[in-house]
Amino acid sequence: MSNLKTKLHEKILSHRQRTADLIKNHRDVVIDSVTIGQCIGGIRDVKCLVTDISSLDPYEGIRFRDKTISETFDALPHVPGCEYPYVEAFWYFLLTGEVPDMTQTLAVVEDFDKRSQVPCYVFDVLRAMPRDTHPMTMFSAAILAMQRESLFTRKYFDGMKKTDFWDPMYEDCCNLLAKLPSIAAYIYRMKYRSDTFIPPGKYLDIGGNFAHMMGIARPYDDAARMTFILHSDHESGNVSSHATHLVASALSDAYYSLSAGINGLAGPIHGLANQEVLRWIQEAFHKLGGQVPTEEDLREFIWDTLNAGHVIPGYGHAVLRKTDPRYIALKEFCEKHLPEYDLFKVVNMIYKVAPSVLMEHGRAKDPWPNLDAQSGVIHWYYGITEFDFYTVLFGVGRAIGVLANIIWDRALGYPIERPKSVTTDMLEKWAREAG
Ligand code: AMX
């Protein structure tokens, strides 16, 4: 067993006691009640999911295992000579809640290296798809195509005990995660770089290897590490995390579950918003005959978008009620690496103008930017101008969080998810009874 797996097993054994105690001794403790508005309105704020991997406060933003973004970046071992930590160290941290030392981190890097080879048939599947297929469709199909590799499914039908479920789930999740950067880079180079695949490098971490396979020089490796970590987890209620968890709750394996989560991420008001931000900015440039917009131009363009009944991509959030700290972390990278870049200046100008317009418009509860408003400009700067690829980058990152979560779902034996629906007649009856 690898050091990470041994550590995880210890954690699982002690955590199971806590969950069992809550179910046995405190199952009837009331923690919330549901309103008709929540029932119809997307189950906002209803506390009915458990995760210890990240938590989200509307004003503070995300914490990974109780650490803020900067605490996480500072605590984890860094790739020598680089500004951002190993993604592999972050995976260890998300799974166990413990910060690994360099030896433990390098053991995960080596383990992932061994698991990283993508089966040839995955490339055949991708190549059989029409080249103008959206990269998210390709990414999801590649993940699903590998389902035949699932150890969990094989062991389940061999009659494995429930308390052992986490083990092959861990194996599947590590096998899957180790392959995702190669699959993403393959899709990119096949679609947009004349089908010139760059094989993985030797002894590289996930971020370094991804930059290498994309054919983009340093510091894009650091941009990749930062991107994957920042996009990993945002507690469990968002569409991609929830979809992955929901499908996994039927004891579907990691391949089925992650593919479902990626399909959710591909929605334009969830992960696809990062491509929409760049599309929308390009539209603004186009409308102004290619000129960099002024604040007044932008204000008018934002109003035009709202008046046409469309959303301002990259702004608003279902939980957050202030600027997303992931946006700030990405902005800090831009301030260091591309401070004079025109597109970055436009993104900053949108930040100056859009919140006041959204407040005046009066619909969005959160007029502030989320991470999608800031992520695309970084990839554009390093030469990835094909913005329909951006959500795949989000997807590689999101996989880290959701896969860590479904290993724990299995470890704690969470049941199949099955909320109760009601009819409109019932809601109307309860509304009448309430006066
Ligand atoms: N532009 C215009 N209108 C917006 C808006 C925006 N950026 N954000 C919210 N609104 C509107 C909603 O569409 C809704 O309109 P309605 O009353 O006509 O139905 C109203 O404001 C109230 O919405 P809300 O309660 O503030 O937000 P929500 O929880 O329903 O939705 C979100 C949250 C993110 C889907 C929404 O803010 C949005 O569509 N933003 C733009 C797309 C985006 O950036 N998505 C990425 C979010 C982060 C992520 O998942 N990657």
Side-chain angles (χ1 to χ4, degrees), residues 41 44 231 234 238-240 265 267-274 276-277 305-306 309-319 321 324 326 358 361-368 370-373 394 398:
R44 290 294 182 285
H231 287 80
H234 216 221
N238 65 78
V239 170
S240 50
L265 194 68
I269 57 172
H270 186 25
L272 210 76
N274 63 2
E276 290 310 293
V277 167
T305 305
L306 292 171
H310 301 141
V311 297
I312 307 304
Y315 280 74
H317 200 273
V319 177
R321 292 294 175 259
D324 187 342
R326 300 171 300 173
L358 282 167
H361 183 245
R363 284 261 180 80
K365 293 189 190 73
D366 173 41
W368 304 108
N370 58 65
L371 84 171
D372 296 318
F394 194 153
R398 183 47 49 100

Side-chain angles (χ1 to χ4, degrees), residues 77-86 205 208 218-219 221-222 225 336:
H78 281 47
V79 181
C82 295
E83 285 172 46
Y84 289 88
Y86 284 93
D205 69 295
R218 290 180 83 175
D221 54 333
D222 260 332
R225 289 178 196 108
K336 176 152 191 207

Side-chain angles (χ1 to χ4, degrees), residues 363-425:
R363 284 261 180 80
K365 293 189 190 73
D366 173 41
W368 304 108
N370 58 65
L371 84 171
D372 296 318
Q374 185 67 250
S375 57
V377 63
I378 297 172
H379 305 297
W380 187 285
Y381 178 76
Y382 290 107
I384 308 172
T385 54
E386 301 84 359
F387 46 73
D388 55 356
F389 185 70
Y390 294 171
T391 316
V392 174
L393 298 168
F394 194 153
V396 175
R398 183 47 49 100
I400 304 168
V402 301
L403 293 177
N405 268 292
I406 60 175
I407 292 171
W408 272 102
D409 289 354
R410 288 286 193 277
L412 300 179
Y414 288 156
I416 189 164
E417 193 172 296
R418 191 16 174 127
K420 177 85 182 78
S421 60
V422 293
T423 64
T424 307
D425 278 348

Side-chain angles (χ1 to χ4, degrees), residues 249-431:
S249 85
L251 299 187
S252 302
D253 60 51
Y255 298 87
Y256 283 126
S257 306
L258 182 62
S259 176
I262 293 297
N263 297 342
L265 194 68
I269 57 172
H270 186 25
L272 210 76
N274 63 2
Q275 85 162 39
E276 290 310 293
V277 167
L278 264 293
R279 185 199 302 283
W280 182 75
I281 293 176
Q282 294 308 312
E283 263 174 43
F285 274 101
H286 185 68
K287 200 178 161 210
L288 296 165
Q291 285 186 27
V292 176
T294 62
E295 278 185 38
E296 257 332 289
D297 293 334
L298 256 182
R299 185 175 297 278
E300 198 183 311
F301 188 66
I302 293 169
W303 272 117
D304 287 349
T305 305
L306 292 171
N307 290 335
H310 301 141
V311 297
I312 307 304
Y315 280 74
H317 200 273
V319 177
L320 289 170
R321 292 294 175 259
K322 61 160 255 188
T323 299
D324 187 342
R326 300 171 300 173
Y327 175 94
I328 308 272
L330 292 161
K331 188 168 186 278
E332 283 166 0
F333 181 96
C334 295
E335 277 157 359
K336 176 152 191 207
H337 293 280
L338 44 134
E340 297 306 322
Y341 193 46
D342 269 352
L343 196 55
F344 175 51
K345 289 183 184 164
V346 172
V347 168
N348 279 335
M349 205 193 288
I350 300 170
Y351 186 28
K352 216 169 150 196
V353 177
S356 60
V357 175
L358 282 167
M359 283 184 225
E360 202 181 325
H361 183 245
R363 284 261 180 80
K365 293 189 190 73
D366 173 41
W368 304 108
N370 58 65
L371 84 171
D372 296 318
Q374 185 67 250
S375 57
V377 63
I378 297 172
H379 305 297
W380 187 285
Y381 178 76
Y382 290 107
I384 308 172
T385 54
E386 301 84 359
F387 46 73
D388 55 356
F389 185 70
Y390 294 171
T391 316
V392 174
L393 298 168
F394 194 153
V396 175
R398 183 47 49 100
I400 304 168
V402 301
L403 293 177
N405 268 292
I406 60 175
I407 292 171
W408 272 102
D409 289 354
R410 288 286 193 277
L412 300 179
Y414 288 156
I416 189 164
E417 193 172 296
R418 191 16 174 127
K420 177 85 182 78
S421 60
V422 293
T423 64
T424 307
D425 278 348
M426 291 175 187
L427 291 180
E428 286 167 347
K429 178 172 167 282
W430 292 325

Side-chain angles (χ1 to χ4, degrees), residues 29-39 43-48:
V29 173
V30 176
I31 55 168
D32 222 338
S33 54
V34 179
T35 64
I36 289 179
Q38 289 169 317
C39 189
I43 349 181
R44 290 294 182 285
D45 293 332
V46 178
K47 295 173 187 68
C48 58

Side-chain angles (χ1 to χ4, degrees), residues 50 58 72 168 184 226 238 245 257 395 413:
V50 188
T72 304
M226 173 188 64
N238 65 78
H245 162 81
S257 306

